[in-house]
Structure formats: C-alpha cells, structure tokens
Coordinates of all heavy atoms in Angstrom, one line a residue:
M1 N 0.8 -1.2 0.0 CA 0.0 0.0 0.0 C 0.9 1.2 0.0 O 1.4 1.7 1.0 CB -0.9 0.0 1.3 CG -1.7 1.2 1.5 SD -2.9 0.9 2.8 CE -2.8 2.4 3.6
T2 N 1.1 1.8 -1.2 CA 1.9 3.0 -1.3 C 1.1 4.2 -1.7 O 0.1 4.1 -2.4 CB 3.0 2.8 -2.4 OG1 2.4 2.3 -3.6 CG2 4.0 1.7 -2.0
S3 N 1.5 5.3 -1.1 CA 0.7 6.5 -1.3 C 1.6 7.6 -1.8 O 2.5 8.1 -1.0 CB 0.0 6.9 0.0 OG -0.7 8.1 -0.2
P4 N 1.6 8.0 -3.0 CA 2.4 9.0 -3.6 C 2.3 10.4 -2.9 O 3.2 11.1 -2.8 CB 2.0 9.2 -5.0 CG 1.2 7.9 -5.3 CD 0.6 7.5 -4.0
S5 N 1.1 10.6 -2.3 CA 0.9 11.9 -1.6 C 1.6 12.0 -0.3 O 1.5 12.9 0.4 CB -0.6 12.0 -1.4 OG -1.1 11.0 -0.6
N6 N 2.3 10.9 0.0 CA 3.0 10.9 1.3 C 4.4 11.5 1.2 O 5.1 11.7 2.1 CB 3.2 9.4 1.8 CG 2.9 9.3 3.2 OD1 2.4 10.2 3.8 ND2 3.2 8.2 3.8
L7 N 4.8 11.8 -0.1 CA 6.1 12.4 -0.3 C 6.1 13.9 -0.1 O 6.5 14.7 -1.0 CB 6.6 12.0 -1.7 CG 6.6 10.5 -2.0 CD1 6.9 10.3 -3.5 CD2 7.7 9.9 -1.1
T8 N 5.8 14.3 1.1 CA 5.8 15.8 1.3 C 6.8 16.0 2.5 O 7.2 15.1 3.2 CB 4.4 16.2 1.7 OG1 4.0 15.6 2.9 CG2 3.4 16.0 0.6
D9 N 7.0 17.3 2.8 CA 7.9 17.7 3.9 C 7.1 17.7 5.2 O 7.7 17.9 6.2 CB 8.4 19.1 3.6 CG 9.4 19.1 2.5 OD1 9.7 18.0 2.0 OD2 9.8 20.2 2.1
A10 N 5.8 17.6 5.2 CA 5.1 17.6 6.4 C 5.4 16.5 7.3 O 5.4 15.3 6.9 CB 3.6 17.6 6.0
P11 N 5.7 16.8 8.5 CA 6.0 15.7 9.5 C 4.8 14.9 9.8 O 3.7 15.5 9.7 CB 6.5 16.5 10.7 CG 5.9 17.9 10.6 CD 5.7 18.1 9.2
P12 N 4.9 13.7 10.2 CA 3.8 12.9 10.6 C 3.1 13.5 11.8 O 3.7 13.9 12.7 CB 4.4 11.5 10.9 CG 5.8 11.8 11.2 CD 6.2 13.0 10.4
R13 N 1.8 13.5 11.7 CA 1.0 14.0 12.8 C 0.6 12.9 13.8 O 0.0 11.9 13.4 CB -0.3 14.7 12.3 CG 0.1 15.8 11.3 CD -1.1 16.7 11.1 NE -0.6 18.0 10.6 CZ -1.2 19.2 10.8 NH1 -2.3 19.2 11.5 NH2 -0.7 20.3 10.3
R14 N 1.1 13.1 15.0 CA 0.8 12.0 16.0 C -0.6 12.3 16.6 O -0.9 13.4 17.1 CB 1.9 12.1 17.0 CG 1.7 11.0 18.0 CD 2.8 11.1 19.1 NE 2.5 10.2 20.2 CZ 3.1 10.3 21.4 NH1 3.9 11.2 21.6 NH2 2.8 9.4 22.3
M15 N -1.4 11.2 16.5 CA -2.7 11.3 17.1 C -2.8 10.5 18.3 O -2.3 9.4 18.4 CB -3.7 10.9 16.1 CG -3.7 11.6 14.7 SD -4.0 13.3 14.8 CE -5.8 13.3 15.1
V16 N -3.5 11.1 19.3 CA -3.7 10.3 20.6 C -5.1 10.3 20.9 O -5.9 11.3 20.5 CB -2.9 11.0 21.7 CG1 -1.4 10.9 21.5 CG2 -3.3 12.4 22.0
P17 N -5.6 9.3 21.6 CA -7.0 9.3 21.9 C -7.3 10.3 23.0 O -6.6 10.4 24.0 CB -7.3 7.9 22.4 CG -5.9 7.4 22.8 CD -4.9 8.1 21.9
C18 N -8.3 11.1 22.8 CA -8.7 12.1 23.8 C -9.1 11.4 25.1 O -9.9 10.5 25.1 CB -9.9 12.9 23.3 SG -10.6 14.1 24.5
P19 N -8.5 11.8 26.2 CA -8.8 11.2 27.5 C -10.3 11.3 27.9 O -10.8 10.5 28.7 CB -8.0 11.9 28.5 CG -6.9 12.6 27.7 CD -7.5 12.9 26.4
N20 N -11.0 12.3 27.3 CA -12.4 12.5 27.7 C -13.3 11.7 26.8 O -14.2 11.0 27.3 CB -12.7 14.0 27.7 CG -14.1 14.2 28.2 OD1 -14.5 13.7 29.2 ND2 -14.8 15.0 27.5
C21 N -13.2 12.0 25.5 CA -14.2 11.4 24.6 C -13.6 10.3 23.7 O -14.3 9.7 22.9 CB -14.8 12.5 23.7 SG -13.7 13.2 22.5
K22 N -12.3 10.0 23.8 CA -11.6 9.0 23.1 C -11.5 9.3 21.6 O -11.1 8.4 20.8 CB -12.4 7.6 23.3 CG -12.7 7.3 24.7 CD -11.5 7.3 25.6 CE -11.8 6.9 27.0 NZ -10.7 7.2 27.9
A23 N -11.9 10.4 21.2 CA -11.7 10.8 19.8 C -10.2 11.1 19.5 O -9.5 11.5 20.4 CB -12.5 12.0 19.4
P24 N -9.8 10.9 18.3 CA -8.4 11.1 17.9 C -8.1 12.6 18.1 O -8.8 13.5 17.6 CB -8.3 10.7 16.5 CG -9.4 9.8 16.2 CD -10.5 10.3 17.2
A25 N -7.0 12.9 18.9 CA -6.7 14.3 19.1 C -5.2 14.5 18.6 O -4.4 13.6 18.8 CB -6.8 14.6 20.6
L26 N -5.0 15.6 18.0 CA -3.7 15.9 17.4 C -2.7 16.3 18.6 O -3.0 17.2 19.4 CB -3.8 17.1 16.5 CG -2.5 17.5 15.8 CD1 -1.9 16.4 15.0 CD2 -2.7 18.8 15.0
F27 N -1.7 15.5 18.7 CA -0.7 15.7 19.8 C 0.5 16.5 19.2 O 1.5 15.9 18.9 CB -0.3 14.3 20.3 CG 0.4 14.5 21.7 CD1 -0.3 14.6 22.8 CD2 1.8 14.5 21.7 CE1 0.3 14.8 24.0 CE2 2.4 14.6 23.0 CZ 1.7 14.8 24.1
S28 N 0.3 17.8 19.1 CA 1.4 18.6 18.7 C 1.2 20.0 19.2 O 0.1 20.3 19.7 CB 1.4 18.7 17.1 OG 0.5 19.6 16.7
P29 N 2.3 20.8 19.2 CA 2.2 22.2 19.8 C 1.0 23.0 19.3 O 0.5 23.9 20.0 CB 3.5 22.8 19.5 CG 4.4 21.6 19.4 CD 3.6 20.5 18.8
E30 N 0.6 22.7 18.1 CA -0.5 23.5 17.5 C -1.8 23.2 18.1 O -2.8 24.0 18.0 CB -0.6 23.4 16.0 CG -0.9 22.0 15.5 CD -0.8 21.8 14.0 OE1 0.3 21.5 13.6 OE2 -1.8 22.0 13.3
N31 N -1.9 22.1 18.8 CA -3.1 21.7 19.5 C -2.9 22.1 21.0 O -2.3 21.3 21.7 CB -3.4 20.2 19.4 CG -4.7 19.8 20.2 OD1 -5.4 20.7 20.6 ND2 -4.9 18.5 20.3
T32 N -3.4 23.2 21.3 CA -3.2 23.7 22.7 C -4.0 23.0 23.7 O -3.8 23.2 24.9 CB -3.5 25.2 22.8 OG1 -4.9 25.4 22.4 CG2 -2.6 26.1 21.9
Y33 N -4.9 22.1 23.3 CA -5.7 21.4 24.2 C -5.2 20.0 24.4 O -5.8 19.2 25.1 CB -7.1 21.3 23.7 CG -7.7 22.6 23.2 CD1 -8.0 22.8 21.9 CD2 -7.8 23.6 24.1 CE1 -8.5 24.0 21.5 CE2 -8.3 24.9 23.7 CZ -8.6 25.0 22.4 OH -9.1 26.3 21.9
R34 N -4.0 19.6 23.7 CA -3.5 18.3 23.9 C -3.3 17.9 25.3 O -2.9 18.7 26.1 CB -2.2 18.2 23.1 CG -1.0 19.0 23.7 CD 0.2 18.9 22.8 NE 1.3 19.5 23.4 CZ 1.5 20.8 23.5 NH1 0.6 21.7 23.0 NH2 2.6 21.3 24.1
P35 N -3.5 16.7 25.7 CA -3.8 15.6 24.8 C -5.3 15.5 24.5 O -5.8 14.5 24.0 CB -3.4 14.3 25.6 CG -3.7 14.7 27.1 CD -3.4 16.2 27.1
F36 N -6.1 16.5 24.9 CA -7.5 16.5 24.6 C -7.8 17.0 23.2 O -6.9 17.6 22.5 CB -8.2 17.4 25.6 CG -8.1 17.0 27.0 CD1 -7.1 17.6 27.8 CD2 -8.9 16.1 27.5 CE1 -6.9 17.2 29.1 CE2 -8.8 15.7 28.9 CZ -7.8 16.2 29.6
C37 N -9.0 16.7 22.7 CA -9.3 17.0 21.3 C -9.8 18.4 21.2 O -9.8 19.0 20.1 CB -10.3 16.0 20.7 SG -11.9 16.2 21.4
S38 N -10.3 19.0 22.2 CA -10.9 20.3 22.2 C -10.9 21.0 23.5 O -10.7 20.3 24.5 CB -12.3 20.2 21.6 OG -13.1 19.5 22.5
A39 N -11.2 22.3 23.5 CA -11.3 23.0 24.8 C -12.4 22.4 25.6 O -12.3 22.4 26.9 CB -11.5 24.5 24.5
R40 N -13.4 22.0 25.0 CA -14.6 21.4 25.7 C -14.1 20.2 26.5 O -14.5 20.1 27.7 CB -15.6 21.0 24.7 CG -17.0 20.6 25.4 CD -17.9 20.0 24.3 NE -19.2 19.9 24.9 CZ -20.2 20.8 24.6 NH1 -20.0 21.8 23.8 NH2 -21.4 20.6 25.2
C41 N -13.4 19.3 25.9 CA -13.0 18.1 26.6 C -11.9 18.5 27.7 O -11.9 18.0 28.8 CB -12.4 17.1 25.7 SG -13.6 16.3 24.7
Q42 N -11.0 19.4 27.4 CA -10.1 19.8 28.3 C -10.7 20.5 29.6 O -10.4 20.2 30.7 CB -9.1 20.9 27.7 CG -8.0 21.2 28.6 CD -7.1 22.3 28.0 OE1 -7.6 23.3 27.5 NE2 -5.8 22.1 28.1
G43 N -11.7 21.3 29.3 CA -12.4 22.0 30.4 C -13.2 21.0 31.2 O -13.3 21.1 32.4
H44 N -13.7 20.0 30.6 CA -14.5 19.0 31.3 C -13.6 18.3 32.3 O -14.0 18.1 33.4 CB -15.1 18.0 30.3 CG -15.9 16.9 31.0 ND1 -17.2 17.1 31.3 CD2 -15.5 15.7 31.4 CE1 -17.6 16.0 31.9 NE2 -16.7 15.1 32.0
D45 N -12.4 17.9 31.9 CA -11.5 17.2 32.7 C -11.0 18.1 33.8 O -11.0 17.7 35.0 CB -10.4 16.6 31.9 CG -9.5 15.7 32.8 OD1 -10.0 14.5 33.0 OD2 -8.5 16.1 33.2
F46 N -10.7 19.3 33.5 CA -10.1 20.2 34.4 C -11.1 20.6 35.5 O -10.8 20.6 36.7 CB -9.7 21.5 33.7 CG -8.2 21.6 33.6 CD1 -7.6 21.0 32.5 CD2 -7.5 22.3 34.5 CE1 -6.2 21.1 32.4 CE2 -6.1 22.4 34.3 CZ -5.5 21.8 33.3
G47 N -12.4 20.8 35.1 CA -13.4 21.2 36.0 C -14.1 20.1 36.7 O -15.0 20.4 37.5
A48 N -13.8 18.9 36.4 CA -14.6 17.8 36.9 C -14.6 17.8 38.5 O -15.6 17.7 39.1 CB -14.0 16.5 36.4
W49 N -13.4 17.9 39.0 CA -13.3 17.9 40.5 C -13.6 19.3 41.1 O -14.1 19.5 42.1 CB -12.0 17.4 40.9 CG -10.8 18.2 40.5 CD1 -10.2 18.1 39.3 CD2 -10.2 19.3 41.2 NE1 -9.2 19.0 39.2 CE2 -9.2 19.8 40.4 CE3 -10.4 19.8 42.5 CZ2 -8.4 20.8 40.8 CZ3 -9.6 20.9 42.9 CH2 -8.6 21.4 42.0
A50 N -13.1 20.3 40.3 CA -13.1 21.7 40.9 C -14.5 22.2 40.9 O -14.9 22.9 41.9 CB -12.2 22.6 40.0
N51 N -15.3 22.0 39.8 CA -16.6 22.6 39.7 C -17.7 21.7 40.3 O -18.5 22.1 41.1 CB -16.9 22.9 38.3 CG -16.0 24.0 37.8 OD1 -15.6 24.9 38.6 ND2 -15.8 24.1 36.5
E52 N -17.7 20.4 39.9 CA -18.8 19.5 40.2 C -18.6 19.0 41.6 O -19.6 18.9 42.4 CB -18.9 18.4 39.2 CG -19.2 19.0 37.8 CD -19.4 17.9 36.8 OE1 -19.7 16.8 37.1 OE2 -19.1 18.2 35.6
A53 N -17.4 18.6 42.0 CA -17.2 17.9 43.3 C -17.4 18.9 44.4 O -17.8 18.6 45.5 CB -15.9 17.3 43.3
Y54 N -17.1 20.2 44.1 CA -17.1 21.2 45.2 C -18.3 22.2 45.0 O -18.3 23.2 45.6 CB -15.8 21.9 45.2 CG -14.7 21.0 45.7 CD1 -13.9 20.4 44.9 CD2 -14.5 20.9 47.1 CE1 -12.9 19.6 45.3 CE2 -13.5 20.1 47.6 CZ -12.7 19.4 46.7 OH -11.7 18.6 47.1
R55 N -19.2 21.8 44.1 CA -20.3 22.7 43.9 C -21.2 22.7 45.1 O -21.6 21.6 45.6 CB -21.1 22.3 42.7 CG -22.2 23.3 42.4 CD -22.9 22.9 41.1 NE -21.9 23.0 39.9 CZ -22.2 22.4 38.8 NH1 -23.2 21.8 38.5 NH2 -21.3 22.6 37.8
V56 N -21.5 23.9 45.6 CA -22.3 23.9 46.9 C -23.7 24.2 46.6 O -24.1 25.0 45.8 CB -21.7 25.1 47.8 CG1 -22.5 25.2 49.1 CG2 -20.2 24.9 48.0
G57 N -24.6 23.4 47.2 CA -26.0 23.7 47.1 C -26.6 23.1 45.8 O -27.8 23.3 45.5
A58 N -25.8 22.3 45.1 CA -26.4 21.7 43.9 C -27.2 20.4 44.2 O -26.8 19.6 45.1 CB -25.3 21.3 42.9
P59 N -28.4 20.3 43.7 CA -29.2 19.2 44.0 C -28.6 17.9 43.3 O -27.9 18.0 42.3 CB -30.6 19.5 43.3 CG -30.2 20.5 42.2 CD -29.0 21.2 42.7
P60 N -28.9 16.8 43.9 CA -28.3 15.5 43.3 C -28.9 15.3 41.9 O -30.1 15.6 41.7 CB -28.8 14.4 44.2 CG -30.0 15.0 45.0 CD -29.7 16.5 45.1
P61 N -28.1 14.9 41.0 CA -28.5 14.7 39.6 C -29.6 13.6 39.4 O -30.5 13.8 38.6 CB -27.3 14.3 38.8 CG -26.3 13.8 39.9 CD -26.7 14.5 41.2
E62 N -29.6 12.6 40.3 CA -30.5 11.6 40.1 C -31.1 11.3 41.5 O -30.5 10.5 42.3 CB -29.9 10.3 39.6 CG -29.6 10.4 38.1 CD -29.0 9.2 37.5 OE1 -29.6 8.1 37.8 OE2 -27.9 9.2 36.9
P63 N -32.3 11.8 41.8 CA -32.9 11.5 43.1 C -33.3 10.0 43.2 O -33.9 9.5 42.3 CB -34.2 12.3 43.0 CG -34.1 13.3 41.9 CD -33.0 12.7 41.0
D64 N -32.8 9.4 44.2 CA -32.9 8.0 44.3 C -34.2 7.6 45.2 O -34.4 6.5 45.5 CB -31.7 7.4 45.0 CG -31.2 6.1 44.2 OD1 -31.9 5.8 43.2 OD2 -30.2 5.6 44.5
L65 N -34.9 8.7 45.5 CA -36.1 8.4 46.3 C -37.3 8.0 45.4 O -37.7 8.7 44.5 CB -36.5 9.7 47.1 CG -35.4 10.3 47.9 CD1 -35.8 11.7 48.4 CD2 -34.9 9.4 49.0
E66 N -37.7 6.8 45.7 CA -38.9 6.3 45.0 C -38.5 5.9 43.5 O -38.5 6.8 42.7 CB -40.0 7.3 44.9 CG -41.3 6.6 45.1 CD -42.0 6.3 43.8 OE1 -41.4 6.6 42.8 OE2 -43.1 5.7 43.8
Ligands
ZN101 ZN1 -12.4 14.9 23.3

C-alpha cells in the first residue's frame, strides 16, 4: 500500500485518543488542548473535580427516592 501523496515535507501528525471522549486528538504544539481534542474536553476534565465535586448547594442529579 503505497501512497504518492506521502512524499511531502510535512512531519507525521501524531494522534492520541482524547482522555475524555476517546476521539483522535492531534498531539502537537499547534493543539493547545492536547492531549485533549478540544477546549470542551479539556475543560471538562479540568473542572470535573473543581466545579462539580465542590459545587455547593447543587441538587443531586438523580434523586434515588422512589
Ligand atoms: Zn475529546
């Protein structure tokens, strides 16, 4: 399986699975969200403990009563 279009100067782009959504994320300096695929996923991971775990006065997401 040869691909002529591979003969370019462009370095190979390393892809890693996003820790949050498992989608392929570009692992290079141009991806400021690496190893995440987007700001959304990065923010989700970052704020998981900070926002949700320490949220005060938030009702439980799933009331287990009845
Ligand atoms: Zn993601």
